[in-house]
């Protein structure tokens, strides 16, 4: 009956306004898709002989009264106690860690479901989890696996919602038992047992305890199998809200919103603060109005003048490259060479003979052997019926060397 009512409430919340409420609160009183109302209210089904209560206080004994302490010393009839927390991240301080370990050392059971766990807490348990952010809402489907507590049969569960899960990159198999995995077969649910009879259960897919996941198809059996790894003889179950409320980022739920609203109401009731706030807003408006008028128009960028000569040379170069007329290029290179010799060295010659070589070497001061080689290359290219690309490049190199050094 409770399952049917929960399903109706969830479907109503998801379909109202034809949009899914994507707020992630993990709060036990939230019936929205990513609340944990269903998981909290099913504890009585799994632990029918246990008393169910909630905790909102720190695990540090120095900060709580004797009546409020979560991990106070249990007498013989309260050794079978369990502490359950579902949060986005689990980051206890040193005293809180000592309180947790002391609780487990007295035979208690701690179940933690969080995608991010403090590194010093993992180091204490000789565990390592992935530090990448791939799990932070990058996937729209969560797929998890869990072993059956009786048959050890592995079964996979999934739903079309947010993932926000993580996995262990290292576990010490000597003290750690893997109870569940993610879609890639990486461990995401483990148990560390203690000689006292207590145990710590670490689960890295907290959205698997949300209403959306548990009420999707037969995913309720995933919840049953995961929490069935805790002993059936437990007679005291504490559902934690302290670590959920102490997280940064998303998901503080209605309690967090209520606290912020109360703080804002208190600030508005302070006359001096209200006057200062109003004056600050008026000053900001004044600055915006006047500064916006004083802003200079954007000066358009002026493009630099184009080098038309360079554009012309590039165009001619592309034309000859496309035509592939190396013979014509050789002819023009020889004409340019002869023009250069006439204008620079006043050598009037029409043929590239030995007399031309001697006069050019004398007037230019260029090595006679190099001049002879250059003139020979020019005559060879001039007389050849075809000129290859390699021959053309070699001739151009000789000419460029002559122009630079002569």
């Amino acid at each position: 009956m409770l399952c049917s009512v929960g399903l109706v409430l969830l479907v109503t919340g998801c379909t109202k306004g034809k949009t899914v409420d994507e707020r992630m609160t993990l709060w036990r009183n939230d019936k929205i898709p990513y609340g944990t109302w269903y998981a909290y209210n099913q504890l009585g089904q799994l632990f029918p002989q246990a008393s169910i209560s909630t905790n909102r206080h720190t695990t540090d004994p120095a900060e709580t009264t004797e009546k409020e302490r979560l991990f106070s010393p249990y007498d013989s009839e309260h050794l079978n106690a369990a502490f359950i927390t579902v949060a986005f991240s689990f980051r206890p301080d040193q005293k809180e860690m000592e309180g947790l370990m002391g609780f487990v050392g007295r035979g208690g059971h701690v179940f933690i479901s969080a995608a991010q766990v403090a590194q010093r807490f993992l180091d204490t348990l000789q565990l390592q989890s992935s530090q990448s952010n791939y799990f932070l809402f990058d996937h729209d489907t969560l797929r998890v696996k869990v072993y059956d507590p009786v048959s050890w049969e592995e079964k996979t569960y999934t739903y079309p919602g947010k993932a926000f899960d993580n996995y262990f990159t290292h576990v010490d198999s000597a003290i750690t038992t893997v109870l569940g995995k993610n879609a890639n077969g990486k461990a995401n649910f483990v148990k560390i047992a203690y000689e006292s009879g207590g145990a710590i259960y670490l689960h890295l897919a907290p959205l698997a305890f949300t209403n959306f996941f548990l009420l999707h198809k037969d995913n309720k059996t995933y919840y049953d199998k995961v929490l069935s790894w805790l002993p059936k003889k437990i007679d005291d179950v504490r559902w934690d809200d302290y670590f959920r409320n102490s997280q940064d980022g998303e998901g503080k739920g209605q309690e967090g919103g209520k606290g912020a609203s109360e703080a804002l109401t208190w600030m508005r009731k302070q006359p001096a603060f209200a006057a200062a706030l109003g004056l600050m807003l008026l000053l900001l408006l004044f600055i915006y109005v006047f500064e916006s008028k004083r802003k200079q128009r954007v000066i358009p960028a002026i493009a630099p003048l184009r080098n038309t000569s360079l554009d012309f040379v590039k165009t001619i170069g592309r034309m000859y490259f496309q035509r592939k007329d190396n013979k014509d290029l050789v002819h023009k290179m020889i004409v340019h060479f002869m023009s250069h010799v006439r204008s620079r060295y006043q050598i009037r010659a029409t043929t590239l003979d030995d007399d031309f070589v001697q006069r050019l070497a004398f007037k230019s001061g260029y090595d006679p052997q190099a001049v002879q080689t250059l003139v020979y290359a020019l005559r060879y290219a001039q007389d050849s019926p075809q000129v290859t690309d390699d021959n053309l490049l070699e001739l151009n190199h000789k000419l460029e060397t002559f122009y630079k050094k002569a």
Side-chain angles (χ1 to χ4, degrees), residues 191-262:
K191 173 187 177 182
I192 300 93
Y194 287 74
E195 294 181 357
S196 63
I200 294 179
Y201 303 81
L202 269 183
H203 181 269
L204 302 184
L207 294 192
F209 285 86
T210 60
N211 303 321
F212 191 177
F213 183 89
L214 296 181
L215 295 176
H216 181 74
K217 296 184 178 179
D218 65 338
N219 287 358
K220 167 62 166 57
T221 57
Y222 177 81
Y223 169 85
D224 294 339
K225 289 180 179 180
V226 167
L227 290 186
S228 291
W229 281 103
L230 276 71
K232 294 182 179 179
K233 60 183 180 180
I234 286 176
D235 55 16
D236 186 5
V237 176
R238 306 288 181 90
W239 180 276
D240 172 71
D241 271 340
Y242 169 74
F243 287 105
R244 183 191 69 84
N245 287 330
S246 65
Q247 312 306 318
D248 295 328
E250 293 194 46
K252 290 200 175 182
Q254 295 178 8
E255 285 184 337
K258 182 179 179 181
S261 177
E262 290 176 352

Coordinates of all heavy atoms in Angstrom, one line a residue, residues 191-262:
K191 N 32.2 -3.4 1.8 CA 32.0 -3.5 3.2 C 33.3 -3.8 3.9 O 34.1 -4.6 3.4 CB 31.0 -4.7 3.5 CG 30.9 -5.1 5.0 CD 30.1 -6.4 5.1 CE 30.1 -6.8 6.6 NZ 29.4 -8.1 6.8
I192 N 33.6 -3.1 5.0 CA 34.8 -3.3 5.8 C 34.3 -3.7 7.2 O 33.7 -3.0 7.9 CB 35.6 -2.0 5.9 CG1 36.1 -1.6 4.5 CG2 36.8 -2.3 6.8 CD1 35.2 -0.5 3.9
A193 N 34.5 -5.0 7.5 CA 34.1 -5.6 8.8 C 35.1 -5.4 9.8 O 36.3 -5.4 9.6 CB 33.7 -7.0 8.6
Y194 N 34.7 -5.3 11.1 CA 35.6 -5.1 12.3 C 35.4 -6.3 13.2 O 34.4 -7.0 13.2 CB 35.3 -3.8 13.0 CG 35.8 -2.6 12.2 CD1 35.1 -2.2 11.1 CD2 37.0 -2.0 12.6 CE1 35.6 -1.1 10.4 CE2 37.4 -0.9 11.9 CZ 36.7 -0.4 10.8 OH 37.2 0.7 10.1
E195 N 36.4 -6.6 14.0 CA 36.4 -7.7 14.9 C 35.3 -7.5 16.0 O 34.8 -8.5 16.6 CB 37.8 -7.9 15.6 CG 38.9 -8.2 14.7 CD 40.2 -8.4 15.4 OE1 40.2 -8.1 16.6 OE2 41.2 -8.8 14.8
S196 N 34.9 -6.3 16.2 CA 33.9 -6.1 17.2 C 32.5 -6.5 16.7 O 31.5 -6.6 17.5 CB 33.8 -4.6 17.5 OG 33.4 -3.9 16.3
G197 N 32.4 -6.9 15.5 CA 31.1 -7.2 14.9 C 30.5 -6.1 14.1 O 29.5 -6.3 13.4
G198 N 31.0 -4.9 14.3 CA 30.5 -3.7 13.5 C 31.1 -3.7 12.1 O 32.0 -4.5 11.8
A199 N 30.6 -2.8 11.3 CA 31.0 -2.8 9.9 C 30.7 -1.4 9.3 O 29.8 -0.7 9.8 CB 30.4 -3.8 9.1
I200 N 31.5 -1.0 8.3 CA 31.3 0.2 7.6 C 30.9 -0.2 6.1 O 31.7 -1.0 5.5 CB 32.5 1.1 7.6 CG1 32.8 1.7 9.0 CG2 32.3 2.3 6.6 CD1 34.0 2.6 9.1
Y201 N 29.8 0.3 5.6 CA 29.4 0.1 4.3 C 29.5 1.4 3.5 O 28.9 2.4 3.8 CB 28.0 -0.4 4.2 CG 27.7 -1.7 5.0 CD1 27.5 -1.6 6.4 CD2 27.7 -2.9 4.4 CE1 27.3 -2.7 7.2 CE2 27.4 -4.0 5.2 CZ 27.2 -3.9 6.6 OH 27.0 -5.1 7.3
L202 N 30.3 1.4 2.4 CA 30.5 2.6 1.6 C 29.8 2.3 0.2 O 30.2 1.4 -0.5 CB 32.0 2.9 1.4 CG 32.6 3.9 2.4 CD1 34.0 4.1 2.1 CD2 31.8 5.1 2.5
H203 N 28.9 3.2 -0.2 CA 28.2 3.1 -1.4 C 28.3 4.4 -2.1 O 28.1 5.5 -1.6 CB 26.7 2.8 -1.0 CG 25.8 2.7 -2.2 ND1 25.1 3.7 -2.8 CD2 25.4 1.6 -2.9 CE1 24.4 3.3 -3.8 NE2 24.6 2.0 -3.9
L204 N 28.7 4.4 -3.4 CA 29.1 5.6 -4.2 C 28.0 6.0 -5.2 O 28.4 6.8 -6.1 CB 30.4 5.4 -4.8 CG 31.6 5.1 -3.9 CD1 32.9 5.0 -4.7 CD2 31.7 6.1 -2.8
A205 N 26.8 5.6 -5.1 CA 25.7 6.0 -6.0 C 24.5 6.5 -5.2 O 23.5 5.8 -5.2 CB 25.4 4.9 -7.0
P206 N 24.6 7.7 -4.6 CA 23.5 8.1 -3.7 C 22.1 8.3 -4.4 O 21.1 8.1 -3.8 CB 24.0 9.4 -3.2 CG 24.9 9.9 -4.2 CD 25.6 8.7 -4.7
L207 N 22.1 8.5 -5.7 CA 20.8 8.7 -6.4 C 20.1 7.4 -6.6 O 18.9 7.4 -7.0 CB 21.1 9.4 -7.8 CG 21.6 10.8 -7.8 CD1 21.5 11.5 -9.2 CD2 20.9 11.7 -6.8
A208 N 20.7 6.3 -6.3 CA 20.0 5.0 -6.3 C 19.1 4.9 -5.1 O 18.3 3.9 -5.1 CB 21.0 3.9 -6.3
F209 N 19.1 5.8 -4.2 CA 18.2 5.8 -3.1 C 17.1 6.9 -3.2 O 16.3 7.2 -2.3 CB 18.9 6.1 -1.8 CG 19.7 4.9 -1.3 CD1 21.0 4.6 -1.8 CD2 19.2 4.0 -0.4 CE1 21.7 3.5 -1.4 CE2 19.9 2.9 0.0 CZ 21.1 2.6 -0.5
T210 N 17.0 7.5 -4.4 CA 16.0 8.5 -4.6 C 14.7 7.9 -5.0 O 14.6 6.7 -5.5 CB 16.4 9.5 -5.7 OG1 16.7 8.8 -6.9 CG2 17.7 10.2 -5.3
N211 N 13.6 8.7 -4.9 CA 12.3 8.2 -5.3 C 12.2 7.8 -6.8 O 11.6 6.7 -7.1 CB 11.2 9.3 -5.1 CG 11.2 9.8 -3.6 OD1 11.4 9.0 -2.7 ND2 11.1 11.1 -3.4
F212 N 12.8 8.5 -7.6 CA 12.8 8.3 -9.1 C 13.4 6.9 -9.4 O 12.8 6.1 -10.1 CB 13.6 9.4 -9.8 CG 13.5 9.4 -11.3 CD1 14.1 10.3 -12.0 CD2 12.7 8.4 -12.0 CE1 14.0 10.4 -13.4 CE2 12.6 8.4 -13.3 CZ 13.2 9.4 -14.1
F213 N 14.6 6.6 -8.8 CA 15.2 5.3 -9.1 C 14.4 4.2 -8.5 O 14.2 3.2 -9.2 CB 16.6 5.3 -8.5 CG 17.4 4.1 -8.8 CD1 18.2 4.0 -10.0 CD2 17.4 3.0 -7.9 CE1 18.9 2.8 -10.2 CE2 18.1 1.8 -8.2 CZ 18.9 1.8 -9.4
L214 N 14.1 4.3 -7.2 CA 13.5 3.1 -6.5 C 12.1 2.8 -7.0 O 11.6 1.6 -7.0 CB 13.4 3.4 -5.0 CG 14.7 3.6 -4.3 CD1 14.5 3.8 -2.8 CD2 15.6 2.3 -4.5
L215 N 11.3 3.8 -7.6 CA 10.0 3.5 -8.1 C 10.0 3.3 -9.6 O 8.9 3.2 -10.2 CB 9.1 4.7 -7.8 CG 8.8 4.9 -6.3 CD1 8.0 6.1 -6.0 CD2 8.2 3.6 -5.7
H216 N 11.2 3.1 -10.2 CA 11.3 2.8 -11.6 C 11.3 1.2 -11.8 O 12.2 0.6 -11.3 CB 12.5 3.4 -12.2 CG 12.7 3.1 -13.7 ND1 11.9 3.7 -14.7 CD2 13.5 2.3 -14.4 CE1 12.2 3.3 -15.8 NE2 13.2 2.4 -15.7
K217 N 10.3 0.7 -12.4 CA 10.2 -0.8 -12.6 C 10.4 -1.5 -11.3 O 9.7 -1.2 -10.3 CB 11.2 -1.2 -13.7 CG 10.9 -0.6 -15.1 CD 11.9 -1.1 -16.1 CE 11.5 -0.5 -17.5 NZ 12.4 -0.9 -18.6
D218 N 11.3 -2.5 -11.3 CA 11.5 -3.3 -10.0 C 12.7 -2.9 -9.3 O 13.3 -3.7 -8.5 CB 11.5 -4.8 -10.4 CG 12.8 -5.1 -11.2 OD1 13.4 -4.2 -11.8 OD2 13.2 -6.3 -11.2
N219 N 13.1 -1.6 -9.3 CA 14.3 -1.2 -8.7 C 14.2 -1.2 -7.2 O 15.2 -1.1 -6.4 CB 14.7 0.3 -9.1 CG 15.3 0.3 -10.5 OD1 15.4 -0.8 -11.2 ND2 15.6 1.5 -11.0
K220 N 13.0 -1.3 -6.6 CA 12.9 -1.5 -5.2 C 13.7 -2.6 -4.6 O 14.2 -2.6 -3.5 CB 11.4 -1.7 -4.9 CG 11.0 -2.1 -3.5 CD 11.5 -1.1 -2.4 CE 10.8 -1.4 -1.1 NZ 11.1 -2.8 -0.6
T221 N 13.9 -3.7 -5.5 CA 14.6 -4.8 -5.0 C 16.1 -4.5 -4.8 O 16.8 -5.1 -4.1 CB 14.5 -6.0 -6.0 OG1 14.9 -5.6 -7.3 CG2 13.0 -6.5 -6.0
Y222 N 16.6 -3.5 -5.6 CA 18.0 -3.1 -5.4 C 18.1 -2.5 -4.0 O 19.1 -2.8 -3.3 CB 18.3 -2.0 -6.4 CG 19.7 -1.4 -6.3 CD1 20.8 -2.1 -6.7 CD2 19.9 -0.2 -5.6 CE1 22.1 -1.6 -6.5 CE2 21.2 0.3 -5.5 CZ 22.3 -0.4 -5.9 OH 23.5 0.1 -5.7
Y223 N 17.2 -1.6 -3.6 CA 17.2 -1.1 -2.2 C 17.2 -2.2 -1.2 O 17.9 -2.1 -0.2 CB 16.0 -0.1 -2.1 CG 15.7 0.4 -0.7 CD1 16.3 1.5 -0.2 CD2 14.7 -0.3 0.0 CE1 16.0 2.0 1.0 CE2 14.4 0.2 1.3 CZ 15.1 1.3 1.8 OH 14.7 1.8 3.0
D224 N 16.3 -3.2 -1.4 CA 16.2 -4.2 -0.4 C 17.5 -5.0 -0.3 O 17.9 -5.3 0.8 CB 15.1 -5.2 -0.9 CG 13.7 -4.5 -0.8 OD1 13.6 -3.5 -0.1 OD2 12.8 -5.0 -1.5
K225 N 18.1 -5.3 -1.4 CA 19.4 -6.1 -1.4 C 20.5 -5.3 -0.8 O 21.3 -5.9 0.0 CB 19.7 -6.6 -2.8 CG 18.8 -7.6 -3.4 CD 19.2 -8.1 -4.8 CE 18.2 -9.1 -5.3 NZ 18.6 -9.5 -6.7
V226 N 20.6 -4.1 -1.1 CA 21.7 -3.3 -0.6 C 21.6 -3.2 0.9 O 22.6 -3.5 1.7 CB 21.7 -1.8 -1.2 CG1 22.7 -0.9 -0.4 CG2 22.1 -1.9 -2.7
L227 N 20.5 -2.8 1.5 CA 20.4 -2.7 2.9 C 20.2 -4.0 3.7 O 20.4 -4.1 4.9 CB 19.2 -1.8 3.3 CG 19.4 -0.3 2.9 CD1 18.2 0.5 3.4 CD2 20.7 0.3 3.5
S228 N 20.0 -5.1 2.9 CA 19.9 -6.4 3.5 C 21.3 -6.9 3.9 O 21.4 -7.9 4.6 CB 19.2 -7.4 2.6 OG 17.8 -7.1 2.4
W229 N 22.3 -6.3 3.4 CA 23.7 -6.6 3.8 C 23.9 -6.3 5.3 O 24.8 -6.8 5.9 CB 24.7 -6.0 2.9 CG 24.9 -6.7 1.6 CD1 24.4 -6.3 0.4 CD2 25.5 -8.0 1.4 NE1 24.7 -7.3 -0.6 CE2 25.4 -8.3 0.0 CE3 26.2 -8.8 2.2 CZ2 26.0 -9.4 -0.5 CZ3 26.8 -10.0 1.7 CH2 26.7 -10.3 0.3
L230 N 23.1 -5.3 5.8 CA 23.2 -5.0 7.2 C 22.5 -6.1 8.0 O 21.6 -6.8 7.5 CB 22.5 -3.7 7.5 CG 23.3 -2.4 7.3 CD1 23.5 -2.2 5.8 CD2 22.6 -1.2 7.9
P231 N 23.0 -6.4 9.2 CA 22.4 -7.5 10.0 C 20.9 -7.3 10.3 O 20.4 -6.2 10.5 CB 23.2 -7.5 11.3 CG 24.5 -6.8 11.0 CD 24.1 -5.8 9.9
K232 N 20.1 -8.4 10.2 CA 18.7 -8.3 10.5 C 18.4 -8.1 11.9 O 17.3 -7.6 12.3 CB 18.0 -9.7 10.0 CG 18.1 -9.9 8.5 CD 17.4 -11.2 8.2 CE 17.4 -11.4 6.7 NZ 16.7 -12.7 6.3
K233 N 19.4 -8.4 12.8 CA 19.1 -8.2 14.2 C 19.2 -6.8 14.7 O 19.1 -6.5 15.9 CB 20.1 -9.0 15.0 CG 21.6 -8.7 14.8 CD 22.5 -9.6 15.5 CE 24.0 -9.2 15.2 NZ 24.9 -10.1 15.9
I234 N 19.4 -5.8 13.8 CA 19.5 -4.4 14.2 C 18.2 -3.9 14.8 O 17.1 -4.2 14.3 CB 19.9 -3.5 13.0 CG1 21.4 -3.7 12.6 CG2 19.6 -2.0 13.2 CD1 21.8 -3.0 11.4
D235 N 18.3 -3.3 16.0 CA 17.1 -2.8 16.7 C 17.1 -1.3 16.8 O 16.2 -0.7 17.5 CB 16.9 -3.5 18.0 CG 18.2 -3.3 18.9 OD1 19.0 -2.4 18.6 OD2 18.3 -4.0 19.9
D236 N 18.1 -0.6 16.3 CA 18.1 0.9 16.4 C 18.7 1.5 15.1 O 19.8 1.3 14.8 CB 18.9 1.3 17.6 CG 18.8 2.8 17.8 OD1 18.1 3.5 17.1 OD2 19.6 3.3 18.7
V237 N 17.8 2.1 14.3 CA 18.3 2.7 13.0 C 18.2 4.2 13.1 O 17.2 4.8 13.4 CB 17.4 2.2 11.8 CG1 17.9 2.9 10.5 CG2 17.5 0.7 11.7
R238 N 19.4 4.9 12.8 CA 19.4 6.3 12.8 C 19.6 6.8 11.4 O 20.6 6.5 10.7 CB 20.6 6.8 13.7 CG 20.6 6.3 15.1 CD 19.4 6.9 15.9 NE 19.4 6.4 17.3 CZ 20.1 7.0 18.3 NH1 20.9 8.0 18.1 NH2 20.1 6.5 19.5
W239 N 18.7 7.6 10.8 CA 18.8 8.2 9.5 C 19.4 9.5 9.7 O 18.8 10.4 10.3 CB 17.4 8.2 8.8 CG 17.5 8.8 7.4 CD1 17.4 10.2 7.1 CD2 17.5 8.1 6.2 NE1 17.5 10.3 5.7 CE2 17.5 9.1 5.2 CE3 17.5 6.8 5.8 CZ2 17.5 8.7 3.8 CZ3 17.6 6.4 4.5 CH2 17.6 7.4 3.5
D240 N 20.6 9.8 9.0 CA 21.3 11.0 9.3 C 20.9 12.1 8.3 O 20.8 11.9 7.1 CB 22.8 10.7 9.1 CG 23.6 12.0 9.1 OD1 23.7 12.6 10.2 OD2 24.1 12.5 8.1
D241 N 20.7 13.3 8.9 CA 20.5 14.5 8.1 C 21.6 15.5 8.3 O 21.7 16.5 7.6 CB 19.1 15.2 8.5 CG 18.0 14.7 7.7 OD1 18.2 14.1 6.6 OD2 16.8 14.8 8.2
Y242 N 22.5 15.3 9.3 CA 23.5 16.2 9.5 C 24.5 16.3 8.4 O 24.8 17.4 7.9 CB 24.3 15.8 10.8 CG 25.6 16.6 11.0 CD1 25.5 17.9 11.4 CD2 26.8 16.0 10.7 CE1 26.7 18.6 11.6 CE2 28.0 16.7 10.9 CZ 27.9 18.0 11.3 OH 29.1 18.7 11.5
F243 N 25.0 15.2 7.9 CA 26.0 15.2 6.8 C 25.3 15.7 5.5 O 26.0 16.3 4.7 CB 26.6 13.9 6.6 CG 27.6 13.6 7.7 CD1 27.3 12.7 8.7 CD2 28.9 14.2 7.8 CE1 28.2 12.4 9.7 CE2 29.8 13.9 8.8 CZ 29.4 13.0 9.8
R244 N 24.1 15.4 5.3 CA 23.4 15.9 4.1 C 23.3 17.4 4.1 O 23.5 18.1 3.1 CB 22.0 15.3 4.0 CG 21.3 15.7 2.7 CD 19.8 15.3 2.7 NE 19.1 16.1 3.7 CZ 18.6 17.3 3.5 NH1 18.7 17.8 2.3 NH2 18.0 18.0 4.4
N245 N 23.0 18.0 5.3 CA 22.8 19.4 5.4 C 24.1 20.1 5.4 O 24.2 21.4 5.2 CB 22.0 19.8 6.6 CG 20.6 19.4 6.4 OD1 20.0 19.5 5.4 ND2 19.9 19.1 7.5
S246 N 25.2 19.4 5.7 CA 26.5 20.1 5.8 C 27.3 20.2 4.5 O 28.4 20.6 4.5 CB 27.4 19.4 6.8 OG 27.7 18.1 6.4
Q247 N 26.6 19.7 3.4 CA 27.3 19.7 2.1 C 27.3 21.1 1.4 O 26.4 21.9 1.6 CB 26.7 18.7 1.1 CG 26.4 17.3 1.8 CD 27.7 16.7 2.4 OE1 28.7 16.8 1.8 NE2 27.5 16.1 3.6
D248 N 28.4 21.3 0.6 CA 28.4 22.5 -0.3 C 27.7 22.1 -1.6 O 27.7 21.0 -2.0 CB 29.8 22.9 -0.6 CG 30.5 23.3 0.6 OD1 29.8 23.9 1.5 OD2 31.7 23.2 0.7
G249 N 27.2 23.1 -2.3 CA 26.6 22.8 -3.6 C 25.1 22.5 -3.6 O 24.4 23.1 -2.8
E250 N 24.7 21.6 -4.5 CA 23.3 21.3 -4.7 C 22.7 20.5 -3.5 O 23.4 19.8 -2.8 CB 23.0 20.6 -6.0 CG 23.4 21.4 -7.2 CD 22.8 20.8 -8.4 OE1 21.6 20.4 -8.4 OE2 23.5 20.7 -9.4
G251 N 21.4 20.6 -3.4 CA 20.7 19.6 -2.7 C 20.5 19.8 -1.2 O 20.5 18.9 -0.5
K252 N 20.3 21.0 -0.7 CA 20.0 21.2 0.7 C 18.5 21.1 1.0 O 18.1 21.1 2.1 CB 20.5 22.6 1.2 CG 22.1 22.6 1.2 CD 22.6 23.7 2.1 CE 24.1 23.6 2.2 NZ 24.6 24.6 3.1
G253 N 17.7 21.0 -0.1 CA 16.3 20.7 0.1 C 15.5 21.8 0.7 O 15.9 23.0 0.8
Q254 N 14.4 21.5 1.2 CA 13.5 22.4 1.8 C 14.0 23.0 3.1 O 13.8 24.1 3.4 CB 12.1 21.8 2.0 CG 11.5 21.3 0.7 CD 10.2 20.6 0.9 OE1 9.7 20.6 2.0 NE2 9.6 20.1 -0.2
E255 N 14.7 22.2 3.9 CA 15.3 22.7 5.1 C 16.3 23.8 4.9 O 16.3 24.8 5.5 CB 15.9 21.6 5.9 CG 14.9 20.6 6.5 CD 15.6 19.6 7.4 OE1 16.8 19.3 7.1 OE2 15.0 19.0 8.3
G256 N 17.2 23.6 3.9 CA 18.1 24.6 3.5 C 17.5 25.9 3.0 O 17.9 27.0 3.4
G257 N 16.4 25.7 2.2 CA 15.7 26.9 1.7 C 15.0 27.6 2.8 O 15.0 28.9 2.8
K258 N 14.5 26.9 3.8 CA 13.8 27.5 4.9 C 14.8 28.3 5.7 O 14.5 29.5 6.1 CB 13.2 26.4 5.8 CG 12.4 27.0 7.0 CD 11.8 25.9 7.7 CE 11.0 26.4 9.0 NZ 10.4 25.3 9.7
G259 N 16.0 27.8 5.9 CA 17.0 28.5 6.7 C 17.4 29.8 6.0 O 17.6 30.8 6.6
A260 N 17.6 29.8 4.7 CA 18.0 31.0 4.0 C 16.9 32.0 4.0 O 17.1 33.2 4.1 CB 18.3 30.6 2.5
S261 N 15.6 31.5 3.9 CA 14.5 32.5 4.0 C 14.4 33.1 5.3 O 14.2 34.3 5.4 CB 13.2 31.7 3.7 OG 12.1 32.6 3.8
E262 N 14.7 32.4 6.4 CA 14.6 32.9 7.8 C 15.7 34.0 8.0 O 15.5 35.0 8.6 CB 14.7 31.8 8.8 CG 13.5 30.9 8.9 CD 13.7 29.8 9.9 OE1 14.8 29.6 10.3 OE2 12.7 29.1 10.1

